[in-house]
Amino acid sequence: MANPAANSQSSMGHVSSNTFSSQVRVVLRVRPFLPSEITSKEKSPIPCITLLDLDNRIGKEVTVHIKDQWTSRNECYNLDSFFGQEDRVGHIFQREVSTVIPGIFQGLHATVFAYGATGSGKTYTMEGTKDEPGLIPLAMSTILSSCKNAQGSVEIAYYEIYMERCYDLLEPKAKEIMTLDDKEGRLQMKGLSWAPVHSMDEFCDVFSTGVQRRKVAHTGLNDVSSRSHAVLAIAVTNGAVKGKLNLIDLAGNEDNRRTCNEGIRLQESAKINQSLFALSNVIYALNNNEPRIPYRDSKLTRILQDSLGGTSHALMIACLNPASYQEAVHTVSLAARSRQIVNYVGSANKKETPKVKVDMEAKLRAWLESKGKNKRIQRMNGSCSPFLGKTPTSIRYLKQPGSVRSSAKVKTTDRKLFDSGAPISTTKKVYAHHQPDDALFTDMNALTNLHSFLHQRNIFSSVLAANDASLLKQKIGPFEVDEVVQHDIRLDSSSCVLKDEICQGCTHALLDRDQEKTSENLHSCGASYSKEHDDGLLNYCSSLHAYENSDTYMATQDDGERLEPSKAVPLSLNGANDDKREKSTNDAKFFRTFDLPGTPFNEENLHLPSINNVGSPATTERIRELQNSPRKVLSPISSNIGPVKHLSSDDRVCLILLDPKTPKSACEKDEVGIFGTPLDKFNALSSNLKESLLQEYLAFLNIASKEELMQLKGIGQKRAEYILELREHTPRPLKSLSDLEKIGLSCKQVNDMFRRAARGIFN
Ligand SMILES: Nc1ncnc2c1ncn2[C@@H]1O[C@H](COP(=O)(O)OP(=O)(O)OP(=O)(O)O)[C@@H](O)[C@H]1O
């Protein structure tokens, strides 16, 4: 088996004599069927995933085919390697992990992490059994024997991330450890204990005690399900050189309608799903060269930061249950995206650690770059080499188009789509709602999360808000507009539910992390919401992997296409309504419509519901108007560019149908047509630029560490501490310019700051 490091060196070329680029290597591991998955009728069930091109198994990449045996749905993906049901963990070790160990003795860092749904075999692969040792004992034993030859020493640390907190598993009471940034922006685990290890016996003693401390529990899908992400760090000292191998067993994605989790299990599950969602966002942002990579959205992504777009080798083992098509699609689509990420691996002892620098100019540069304004950037950069100042952000821009792997063997009309990691066969639509007053989705982050979350699950359905069509176009980001349909209902800023769609049996409703807001949202579509919905909501939202991660999320059906009203299956938000949920689960497999109490789906419901239950007076008034006028939904317009002209900034909400395509820059897409005169265009761009800077600034305030905050002009220790305090109550407390008053910054101060940043750029 080829050495991944060697592969990537040759494919990507050297960046410097001791730093080389290396794509995240992604291999697939399909576990055997468990006895409980084999019905008496079918003795040898067919796995939902198969390897195409068996001959190519040892080649540079493999193509896998995922097929749903009950429907005609199927997808193909390219990955680096495939291990089927008959393959033993030893094979994976020999071919994938043993090759990175020599690098550890030369001071490199490497991470091997098992990713997959609950019950897919991650722990089995990492820890193994008595009869079949897993990657952890195999790696340890190889490191120990290499150590003897090299006369080096080995230490291990073992910790878990449970409910977004880190606990040291080598300490008797699994004490909590703090994760801090050092001056250089590197993650430090304060108080983590390291145990020296000289032999396998010693290792087994220490490690097995840690394993017993790790939180596991019985769930509906796995008898012994990990409730935390566990990280075993093996540090090797070889003379003056120190290298490290992280072996990570992630907790699995959980669909709580299938696990039947309740109480604490449900809360754990929400945290697990939330952190895996953050992981998918990081992968998505890296793939799309986004100016900000949301590493800080969870402990997991912070810990994996060096392995995703950083300076560590990374191997992802995507684990699959052969019986679950939906899980397979979810896991493999994320895995396929991950292998496009490029790391810049260098000697841990020599490398200059990137500094986290607060620099509005850099942010603006990144933003311009993401919009394809390269000339401006060249001017801003002067004659600097792109390799200088390799912060994680700048590293991403070194990614060459050629670095995106593709398979010549895969015949697809949408090659770009395939390369982007999305399934080939997808033709589903994205629904984006244009909301005129831009009040709902001013948070770009929430928007990105939403895109990523939905895209990853083939739910090409999304919500956007913008105060004019051009801004909307900018915000659409990676998607291309196919069609625009005017949608004839006005929403005020607090009403998030598209009443009119729900009435058609279509399935969009927005949940807000703030329960009061959710209640308002539901009210606005004629539904009532009470505390007793909380269970159901939490359950639902943890299935969405999203509830606590961002501000607003949309619940939607599984495939993003409209349902016939008669086919819509209500799923109550109320946890008590289990029979309905059960039915919904059976019918929908994944996400499904949920029933808004008081708004049953049926033919009669094709008109707007009674105005008596509706929220704000403005909405009520508008609905009254609409009820008195004939329903008006314009037909789809097929061009990519033309329809946007029809967007109005009056009180309409536009429903835009989008097809997921490989991202293009906003500039490249269609500047023609969305703007009016050149002056309009200039004005629109200027206002977008200002808005983007503001959003970046707010996003930064919402996530930066205290030290980073204090590097901003106008933010001293007290203000930084106050921001951190605000975050304890609401993770993203600052959403708009006026919110800055909460931290005692006047609009004038902020405007001055932006002015200074802009002057710096144009000087
Ligand atoms: N290669 C394999 N051969 C035989 N049994 C396996 C294999 N992989 C997994 N299993 C079995 O499948 C079940 C689930 O595996 P495991 O607990 O490793 O899943 P997991 O992905 O770690 O789940 P969770 O995320 O819930 O912790 C276990 O009973 C395990 O013994």
Side-chain angles (χ1 to χ4, degrees):
M1 176 58 204
N3 181 338
N7 271 350
S8 32
Q9 281 187 55
S10 57
S11 68
M12 294 293 299
H14 287 258
V15 169
S16 75
S17 56
N18 56 8
T19 307
F20 55 90
S21 54
S22 155
Q23 277 166 301
V24 172
R25 188 167 169 84
V26 178
V27 305
L28 211 62
R29 148 83 157 160
V30 185
R31 69 153 166 78
F33 283 99
L34 302 180
S36 59
E37 291 160 350
I38 303 171
T39 58
S40 50
K41 279 186 210 148
E42 37 165 21
K43 286 211 172 82
S44 45
I46 303 162
C48 65
I49 183 151
T50 47
L51 178 68
L52 295 180
D53 297 332
L54 276 168
D55 297 345
N56 200 24
R57 198 171 160 142
I58 316 281
K60 270 197 167 171
E61 63 183 5
V62 293
T63 304
V64 294
H65 181 227
I66 311 177
K67 188 168 185 307
D68 187 1
Q69 62 164 305
W70 309 113
T71 67
S72 55
R73 292 167 72 176
N74 66 95
E75 278 114 42
C76 286
Y77 295 87
N78 278 355
L79 297 156
D80 291 301
S81 195
F82 177 89
F83 296 90
Q85 300 188 339
E86 71 293 348
D87 283 315
R88 315 266 297 172
V89 184
H91 285 129
I92 308 179
F93 178 76
Q94 277 311 323
R95 281 170 47 186
E96 302 293 338
V97 183
S98 65
T99 50
V100 299
I101 289 178
I104 312 296
F105 284 83
Q106 289 157 24
L108 299 183
H109 286 191
T111 298
V112 176
F113 63 105
Y115 172 86
T118 184
S120 57
K122 298 179 294 298
T123 307
Y124 190 99
T125 305
M126 297 307 287
E127 290 177 14
T129 60
K130 264 198 186 136
D131 299 335
E132 192 181 359
L135 296 179
I136 287 178
L138 291 171
M140 194 67 218
S141 116
T142 308
I143 287 175
L144 283 172
S145 37
S146 308
C147 231
K148 273 200 190 111
N149 300 337
Q151 300 204 325
S153 62
V154 182
E155 288 183 311
I156 61 164
Y158 188 39
Y159 59 94
E160 67 177 348
I161 307 167
Y162 175 70
M163 306 268 273
E164 273 304 282
R165 286 166 185 261
C166 291
Y167 297 94
D168 190 337
L169 294 170
L170 297 187
E171 288 287 325
K173 284 191 180 158
K175 83 168 185 219
E176 183 170 359
I177 34 183
M178 304 310 288
T179 51
L180 302 169
D181 288 346
D182 66 12
K183 271 197 298 202
E184 320 259 64
R186 279 181 304 214
L187 182 73
Q188 297 294 332
M189 313 285 291
K190 198 178 163 199
L192 180 67
S193 49
W194 288 86
V197 172
H198 306 96
S199 66
M200 273 312 275
D201 283 348
E202 219 172 272
F203 170 73
C204 291
D205 275 358
V206 178
F207 182 65
S208 59
T209 318
V211 167
Q212 281 160 27
R213 290 188 187 121
R214 185 179 176 193
K215 282 146 199 99
V216 291
H218 170 87
T219 71
L221 293 180
N222 191 357
D223 284 344
V224 189
S225 175
S226 311
R227 312 314 293 156
S228 65
H229 309 297
V231 182
L232 175 74
I234 307 175
V236 171
T237 309
N238 183 20
V241 177
K242 278 192 170 172
K244 195 164 89 178
L245 175 64
N246 283 317
L247 296 158
I248 306 181
D249 176 16
L250 297 178
N253 261 317
E254 294 184 341
D255 177 347
N256 283 307
R257 289 166 302 166
R258 293 175 61 219
T259 54
C260 306
N261 281 338
E262 283 178 345
I264 183 72
R265 293 287 93 81
L266 192 58
Q267 287 173 32
E268 291 167 350
S269 177
K271 292 286 182 197
I272 293 170
N273 288 346
Q274 178 193 330
S275 59
L276 294 172
F277 178 59
L279 175 62
S280 71
N281 285 339
V282 163
I283 291 167
Y284 180 87
L286 284 165
N287 282 343
N288 289 291
N289 278 353
E290 283 181 7
R292 195 184 79 84
I293 308 299
Y295 290 115
R296 287 167 192 280
D297 281 4
S298 83
K299 284 261 171 6
L300 174 65
T301 45
R302 191 69 186 93
I303 282 162
L304 283 174
Q305 179 165 353
D306 201 36
S307 313
L308 300 170
T311 57
S312 191
H313 264 308
L315 169 70
M316 176 197 253
I317 302 176
C319 296
L320 291 188
N321 166 355
S324 174
Y325 165 82
Q326 193 64 56
E327 279 174 13
V329 170
H330 179 197
T331 302
V332 180
S333 69
L334 188 95
R337 278 171 222 284
S338 304
R339 67 193 283 267
Q340 295 172 21
I341 295 171
V342 182
N343 292 337
Y344 285 82
V345 180
S347 165
N349 304 290
K350 289 176 193 159
K351 74 172 186 283
E352 284 279 308
T353 310
K355 271 200 168 185
V356 178
K357 221 172 125 198
V358 183
D359 180 352
M360 293 305 282
E361 223 178 285
K363 282 179 182 299
L364 177 65
R365 193 180 301 133
W367 182 81
L368 287 169
E369 194 161 355
S370 75
K371 300 279 174 260
K373 309 241 181 325
N374 292 326
K375 280 196 182 143
R376 166 81 62 81
I377 293 155
Q378 276 162 20
R379 243 184 296 142
M380 286 168 68
N381 279 339
S383 57
C384 285
S385 146
F387 297 100
L388 284 181
K390 277 183 225 95
T391 62
T393 306
S394 59
I395 282 173
R396 289 194 315 279
Y397 297 123
L398 302 177
K399 199 154 111 178
Q400 299 299 312
S403 71
V404 177
R405 304 171 201 184
S406 62
S407 164
K409 296 210 164 45
V410 178
K411 290 192 185 75
T412 165
T413 49
D414 200 341
R415 173 64 155 278
K416 285 180 176 177
L417 189 60
F418 182 77
D419 284 345
S420 74
I424 301 170
S425 59
T426 297
T427 53
K428 287 161 196 150
K429 304 287 187 187
V430 172
Y431 297 73
H433 303 272
H434 177 224
Q435 187 180 343
D437 55 12
D438 203 13
L440 186 55
F441 281 101
T442 46
D443 185 344
M444 290 295 281
N445 221 9
L447 201 62
T448 313
N449 287 348
L450 185 67
H451 273 315
S452 148
F453 161 71
L454 295 167
H455 194 179
Q456 189 197 324
R457 287 160 186 79
N458 304 342
I459 305 170
F460 294 112
S461 181
S462 187
V463 171
L464 299 168
N467 51 13
D468 65 20
S470 58
L471 190 52
L472 176 66
K473 286 286 289 177
Q474 306 255 330
K475 285 189 175 187
I476 283 169
F479 301 107
E480 283 180 18
V481 176
D482 261 0
E483 299 165 281
V484 178
V485 179
Q486 295 275 18
H487 199 61
D488 60 352
I489 186 165
R490 154 83 192 188
L491 301 177
D492 66 13
S493 60
S494 65
S495 72
C496 307
V497 177
L498 300 180
K499 182 195 296 278
D500 144 321
E501 283 215 30
I502 286 170
C503 296
Q504 286 179 65
C506 194
T507 53
H508 302 201
L510 293 175
L511 309 175
D512 198 284
R513 53 175 302 109
D514 168 359
Q515 280 166 1
E516 259 178 44
K517 192 95 184 287
T518 305
S519 156
E520 245 175 67
N521 298 346
L522 297 183
H523 254 302
S524 66
C525 82
S528 59
Y529 173 81
S530 67
K531 272 270 175 219
E532 73 201 25
H533 294 129
D534 285 359
D535 268 3
L537 184 62
L538 182 63
N539 193 356
Y540 195 84
C541 293
S542 69
S543 302
L544 284 175
H545 303 212
Y547 183 48
E548 300 202 11
N549 201 44
S550 192
D551 296 311
T552 315
Y553 282 93
M554 181 172 59
T556 182
Q557 66 188 64
D558 60 339
D559 58 9
E561 284 167 5
R562 285 170 183 242
L563 289 179
E564 294 293 325
S566 56
K567 288 191 202 144
V569 180
L571 170 62
S572 173
L573 282 179
N574 184 341
N577 208 346
D578 284 341
D579 52 347
K580 276 188 178 176
R581 190 183 306 146
E582 185 64 30
K583 177 163 167 32
S584 169
T585 310
N586 290 341
D587 280 8
K589 289 209 184 74
F590 202 56
F591 298 122
R592 197 48 141 173
T593 325
F594 58 88
D595 176 18
L596 301 165
T599 316
F601 291 101
N602 56 40
E603 296 292 340
E604 290 134 48
N605 243 339
L606 282 167
H607 55 75
L608 294 163
S610 157
I611 57 169
N612 300 332
N613 298 330
V614 180
S616 78
T619 315
T620 310
E621 187 47 42
R622 180 64 182 149
I623 289 169
R624 197 189 299 277
E625 256 177 68
L626 288 166
Q627 281 185 324
N628 292 336
S629 63
R631 189 182 160 69
K632 193 171 61 176
V633 177
L634 304 183
S635 50
I637 302 164
S638 58
S639 145
N640 254 5
I641 299 165
V644 186
K645 286 181 190 157
H646 298 271
L647 288 175
S648 62
S649 58
D650 64 13
D651 62 355
R652 284 181 182 282
V653 173
C654 303
L655 175 63
I656 300 182
L657 305 180
L658 306 167
D659 241 3
K661 300 258 169 68
T662 301
K664 276 190 183 178
S665 75
C667 269
E668 191 186 334
K669 263 192 262 177
D670 38 31
E671 287 192 359
V672 187
I674 61 170
F675 300 106
T677 65
L679 182 63
D680 291 344
K681 175 178 167 179
F682 180 75
N683 286 340
L685 283 174
S686 311
S687 91
N688 293 343
L689 184 62
K690 192 173 160 199
E691 175 66 16
S692 285
L693 266 178
L694 173 65
Q695 291 307 326
E696 279 293 331
Y697 182 65
L698 293 171
F700 179 79
L701 293 180
N702 281 329
I703 57 157
S705 68
K706 184 174 152 192
E707 290 71 28
E708 288 170 346
L709 287 170
M710 283 166 58
Q711 289 181 50
L712 272 189
K713 244 201 157 92
I715 298 200
Q717 185 176 347
K718 270 200 177 153
R719 203 166 263 157
E721 278 168 3
Y722 184 56
I723 295 173
L724 298 185
E725 214 178 296
L726 284 176
R727 280 192 221 151
E728 273 172 25
H729 301 289
T730 331
R732 287 175 202 286
L734 306 168
K735 297 194 179 67
S736 66
L737 197 57
S738 59
D739 281 346
L740 293 175
E741 280 172 22
K742 282 188 204 164
I743 57 165
L745 278 177
S746 68
C747 291
K748 184 176 173 312
Q749 276 172 302
V750 178
N751 278 330
D752 283 350
M753 202 189 63
F754 286 148
R755 229 169 268 138
R756 270 198 299 274
R759 262 207 303 276
I761 292 161
F762 292 112
N763 277 343

